[in-house]
Amino acid sequence: MTSRRARRGAATLVLCLGLLGLPLLAGCGGAAGPGNRAARADAPAPRKAVPQQAGPRKGPQNAAPRPSVVFFLGDSYTVGDRGVQPETTYASATGRLMGWQVVVEGRAGTGFVKTVGGEAFLQLFESQLGWRPAPDLLIVSGGHNDWRVPPPRVAEAARTLLERARQRWPGTHLVLMGPLWGNDTPPPNELGVRNALRNLATQMAVPFIDPLAERWITGNRLTHRGNAPQYIKRDGTHPDAAGHRYVATRLAADVKRLGLAHPLRRPA
């Protein structure tokens, strides 16, 4: 009996080992012995997921800078005379050169004091520009049509306009541009207007651009001297298409010199 049981047990052991194909030391019930633990320890460690590199974050610090918004206010030099549209004047041409978004306003024949239809620059500022969201830069160009007005009166009107703009748009940069002329010999009172505007700009700490002192236009169309025959129309006063493009290059150079090539409105 005992011998039969022994033989049956031995046969069962052999069958178990054969079916599982395990080493003799491994248990039949599948429990892990020391050899199994060693095999798992020697196997390659499972790979860890490697986080992918994040691309550059897109935010305000990485966004492309927006174009500066620049408003112009002026007379026929700025908005155009007969047959010349605002989009072809020096103001719009300067915007294209500098990559600005521009709004060009004003009226032919007007000035700081000189009115057309009862409106001078201050009234035109209120009706055309003052209600708009604040720009980065306001360029006021005038004085040509004020040449018969006493210079102190012109300066006082210009002060009122610039103070109004500062009050309306505290963070906006301001530039005052003196009168333009169709030749290099403006009348004495026009030079007085220019001087009064230049002094005002100094008092108000506003950058001043002086086309007369910088001799943007030289000579005279009638005498065929200087650049006037090339850039001034037959009326002897207003720039032609090439003249507006030329004036734009001079203004752009001055704006860069003033550090306002890419003006941004200051926090109010």
Side-chain angles (χ1 to χ4, degrees):
M1 200 63 184
T2 303
S3 143
R4 187 179 301 152
R5 287 177 183 169
R7 287 197 297 274
R8 188 181 300 135
T12 302
L13 176 62
V14 171
L15 177 62
C16 180
L17 295 176
L19 290 173
L20 296 178
L22 295 177
L24 191 59
L25 292 179
C28 181
N36 200 20
R37 289 195 298 270
R40 284 200 296 266
D42 293 338
R47 283 187 172 183
K48 294 183 179 179
V50 179
Q52 293 187 353
Q53 197 99 8
R57 292 183 179 180
K58 293 183 179 180
Q61 67 274 20
N62 293 325
R66 65 169 177 81
S68 298
V69 177
V70 179
F71 291 175
F72 285 83
L73 179 65
D75 52 29
S76 58
Y77 284 92
T78 300
V79 301
D81 61 309
R82 181 177 299 178
V84 178
Q85 300 302 316
E87 56 267 26
T88 61
T89 67
Y90 80 86
S92 295
T94 303
R96 288 189 287 272
L97 286 174
M98 306 303 293
W100 295 339
Q101 290 184 347
V102 300
V103 175
V104 181
E105 296 289 2
R107 185 172 297 162
T110 60
F112 294 100
V113 177
K114 177 72 165 55
T115 63
V116 172
E119 292 185 310
F121 280 1
L122 179 61
Q123 291 75 34
L124 294 170
F125 169 80
E126 291 290 2
S127 63
Q128 297 177 347
L129 294 175
W131 53 270
R132 298 175 186 268
D136 297 299
L137 170 64
L138 170 65
I139 298 177
V140 180
S141 171
H144 176 97
N145 296 311
D146 294 313
W147 70 277
R148 289 188 175 94
V149 180
R153 188 179 169 200
V154 177
E156 189 58 33
R159 179 189 295 275
T160 301
L161 169 63
L162 295 175
E163 288 177 346
R164 184 72 56 86
R166 275 183 172 171
Q167 180 183 16
R168 191 70 49 82
W169 302 320
T172 295
H173 298 274
L174 302 178
V175 167
L176 181 59
M177 181 170 155
L180 290 151
W181 206 258
N183 56 60
D184 60 3
T185 55
N189 201 59
E190 181 70 352
L191 294 176
V193 167
R194 186 275 313 273
N195 294 342
L197 291 174
R198 183 174 58 194
N199 293 340
L200 171 67
T202 300
Q203 295 168 16
M204 297 187 68
V206 171
F208 185 71
I209 293 176
D210 191 346
L212 298 182
E214 295 178 17
R215 294 175 58 80
W216 288 9
I217 300 299
T218 60
N220 191 305
R221 181 181 175 88
L222 297 177
T223 61
H224 302 285
R225 293 181 179 178
N227 63 18
Q230 181 180 357
Y231 295 133
I232 300 300
K233 294 166 68 173
R234 290 182 179 179
D235 63 7
T237 299
H238 298 96
D240 57 18
H244 277 289
R245 292 192 296 269
Y246 162 71
V247 169
T249 64
R250 298 298 302 261
L251 176 57
D254 278 353
V255 165
K256 291 176 183 177
R257 174 179 54 80
L258 293 171
L260 292 172
H262 305 286
L264 290 177
R265 190 173 64 255
R266 297 179 292 262

